[in-house]
Structure formats: structure tokens, C-alpha cells
Amino acid sequence: MKAMKKQALGRGLSALLKDPENDIKSVEDKNADKVVGNIIELELDAIEINPFQPRTNFNEESLRELSTSIKELGVIQPITVRKMDYNKYQLISGERRLRASKLAGLTHIPAYIRIANDNDSLVMALVENIQRHDLDPIEIALSYQRLMDEIQLTQEQMSDRVGKKRSTIANYLRLLKLDPVIQTGIRDGFISMGHGRAIINIEDLDAQADIYHKIVSENLSVRETEALVKSYHEGTPAPALPENKTGAAASFEVPNDERLLMTSFFGAKVDVKVDAKGKGKITIPFRSEEDFNRILKLIKG
């Protein structure tokens, strides 16, 4: 019964907002206290995507799962929007819930109403997403950089805004100095942020690319990458990689070019291991059923 009253209240406030004589544009307007900060049922068609949204990748399988949950249980956590014009709203946070609700065939969604200027909206969107969603390291770095550029924040000020240590923010921002190919590798999961932090200590982009290809083709750990970068700076030969699990040298080596070719072909970090008898295995990772079917289609030709 309590949930039904809350739902009815949201519908009632929605009707209030659609009354031209009650068009609320600021917190000083009549009835603003009834709307701002409250949960209101809004039409999906009245909500536009926030241009400040830092997330650029949305996993389709995850969206479908969320859509199924919404069909069964409804939208449990309201989205947050800001009022733009008469019956027009811009999303501040909750784009996954908005997209999944559309997939579920809903016409309305519960939303918190905010009245904010562009800078407030940008800060709210970035902080909300950084705190609540699993953005990849490059998306997080781009979000921090956008805050610095558009609102003229220092790293210290940004640290206060997002609740992160200044050193943490600095480590993310340094990733943007990597070669674009390496940034893409981090986003796609071929290498980790730890690998990227090691590579960034090399200024020459060509040298960065060489080490990146070596990491991917030879499946180097972060510690092995750090040793490789150290040897580069010292001008010494690259440290020998550990022997394989058999404790003996492999009977043959798969050339780096061929490893990279497989990685490029499958769009995934292919791992090749060979034992002392010449036997081995090729491992092709996949992230979802959709990704598995994509790789299977490539194998079948």
C-alpha cells in the first residue's frame, strides 16, 4: 500500500509539472518545493541524454539483464534529471536505467528533479558515474580532465569534489599521455592500468608502442613490465622472461608478429603457451555470450 501511494504521488506531481501555469524554472517559483528533490514519474520521451555523460561504452548483455529485472521489479533506484524547459528534462545520472527502461518498453520512469546550471550538472554527472559505475581507467581519466578544463579546477579542488586522493587523480590523468593505441588497449582490457602506469615512464611514443606489443604478445605481468621499462632507461638488455611451468625452455617460440596477428584477428588478448615437448594451448578470452558468438563466427569463417 505504501509503494502504491508513493507511485500515485509521483504521478500527481508529474501532472503538476505538465500544467503550463505551474512551469517551474527556479527554486523560487511557486510549487518548486513540491517538485525539486522529490521522486516524480516522468515520460521517457521528455528526457534527453546528458552531453556530459563520461561513460561511452554500455555492455548490451548487461543492459538486457537490467531490462529484464526492470520488467519484473520496476525501476528500484530513481534516475536524476534537471529541468530544462516546459516538460523537458536532461539526465544527470542513471543512463543505464534509462536505456534499460526503454528496452523494457516502459513509458515513464521515476526521477529526482534538480534545477542546476551546466557546471553543476557536469559535476553531478561525473561524480555520480565515477562513484557508482565501473568506468574503465581511460573514461575516468577523461572525466577528471573534463572537470579540470571546463570548470577550471585544480587537482586539489577536484580531489575535494570527487572524494579521491590527489595522487589517485594524478595517476589517472597521466594515462592520457599514453599513445592512443595503448589507451585503447587499456579500455579493451588487453592491459591493465598498472601496465599503463609503467609504460608512461617512457616518453618516446614509438618505444611505448614496442613495449605495449611485447606485453600483449608475451602476456607480461605488471612487474615484468616494470623491469622491462627499467632496462630501457638503463640501456641494458631486456630481462629474461621466466621459464614456462614445466621448468624447461619451450621447444619453439611463437613469433611476436604471429601472436599480435591472432590478437588483432580475434579482437581479444590471445594467450599462447608451448611446453618443452612442443605441445601447447591457445586461449582466447571472451566477455559475454555475444562476444563468444562473435569469436565463433570468426573461427567458422
Side-chain angles (χ1 to χ4, degrees):
M1 180 65 72
K2 185 177 181 180
M4 292 178 63
K5 287 183 178 179
K6 185 177 182 180
Q7 184 83 345
L9 177 62
R11 293 286 187 181
L13 291 176
S14 179
L16 174 65
L17 281 173
K18 295 183 71 173
D19 182 352
E21 295 183 0
N22 286 288
D23 189 21
I24 300 168
K25 296 182 178 179
S26 73
V27 293
E28 287 80 20
D29 289 343
K30 180 181 178 181
N31 292 322
D33 59 324
K34 297 179 181 178
V35 173
V36 178
N38 287 307
I39 301 175
I40 297 176
E41 290 286 322
L42 293 182
E43 297 175 355
L44 289 174
D45 292 341
I47 305 170
E48 66 177 29
I49 298 300
N50 189 342
F52 302 134
Q53 164 66 275
R55 178 180 289 278
T56 56
N57 295 321
F58 290 87
N59 184 280
E60 292 299 325
E61 181 182 8
S62 176
L63 281 178
R64 286 195 296 270
E65 291 175 353
L66 180 56
S67 175
T68 299
S69 173
I70 287 174
K71 285 181 181 179
E72 297 177 356
L73 305 174
V75 180
I76 298 175
Q77 181 183 1
I79 62 173
T80 302
V81 300
R82 68 180 180 124
K83 194 171 186 302
M84 299 293 292
D85 204 344
Y86 173 66
N87 201 35
K88 289 185 179 179
Y89 305 87
Q90 186 180 84
L91 188 70
I92 291 177
S93 63
E95 186 168 350
R96 287 185 69 252
R97 279 162 277 162
L98 183 67
R99 287 173 178 254
S101 295
K102 290 180 178 179
L103 283 176
L106 300 188
T107 58
H108 292 73
I109 189 170
Y112 287 109
I113 306 296
R114 298 290 298 269
I115 296 177
N117 60 31
D118 283 348
N119 282 353
D120 289 338
S121 181
L122 173 59
V123 172
M124 284 187 285
L126 294 176
V127 172
E128 172 79 13
N129 281 280
I130 290 171
Q131 297 290 1
R132 298 193 181 186
H133 294 300
D134 55 341
L135 296 178
D136 66 61
I138 299 302
E139 285 177 319
I140 293 176
L142 289 171
S143 298
Y144 287 149
Q145 188 63 58
R146 188 161 190 176
L147 272 172
M148 292 183 67
D149 292 344
E150 298 196 23
I151 309 182
Q152 301 299 307
L153 295 179
T154 64
Q155 290 187 13
E156 288 78 7
Q157 292 170 329
M158 189 158 49
S159 173
D160 293 335
R161 289 290 187 98
V162 300
K164 301 287 184 181
K165 292 182 179 178
R166 191 202 64 78
S167 58
T168 298
I169 293 171
N171 284 332
Y172 277 105
L173 290 173
R174 293 183 71 223
L175 296 178
L176 299 180
K177 296 180 180 180
L178 289 167
D179 183 279
V181 172
I182 301 176
Q183 292 186 37
T184 300
I186 293 176
R187 300 193 68 167
D188 292 341
F190 291 156
I191 64 173
S192 69
M193 180 178 175
H195 289 102
R197 289 179 60 185
I199 299 173
I200 198 60
N201 291 311
I202 296 177
E203 294 184 1
D204 185 273
L205 294 184
D206 290 335
Q208 282 187 11
D210 289 342
I211 289 181
Y212 168 69
H213 290 146
K214 191 175 182 65
I215 293 170
V216 174
S217 63
E218 299 182 10
N219 196 26
L220 300 186
S221 67
V222 172
R223 180 167 294 184
E224 289 168 341
T225 301
E226 291 171 344
L228 194 60
V229 171
K230 181 179 180 181
S231 68
Y232 168 84
H233 284 302
E234 294 176 349
T236 57
L241 294 177
E243 294 180 343
N244 57 41
K245 293 181 180 179
T246 64
S251 59
F252 71 93
E253 293 185 0
V254 179
N256 290 343
D257 289 345
E258 294 182 8
R259 291 174 183 261
L260 288 175
L261 180 62
M262 287 188 286
T263 293
S264 176
F265 178 76
F266 289 110
K269 185 179 177 181
V270 177
D271 184 26
V272 182
K273 294 183 179 179
V274 184
D275 65 20
K277 296 181 179 180
K279 297 180 180 180
K281 65 179 180 179
I282 298 175
T283 304
I284 308 172
F286 57 88
R287 300 186 180 93
S288 64
E289 182 179 358
E290 182 181 17
D291 196 29
F292 171 78
N293 290 330
R294 177 188 66 80
I295 294 173
L296 186 60
K297 185 176 180 180
L298 288 172
I299 294 174
K300 290 181 177 180

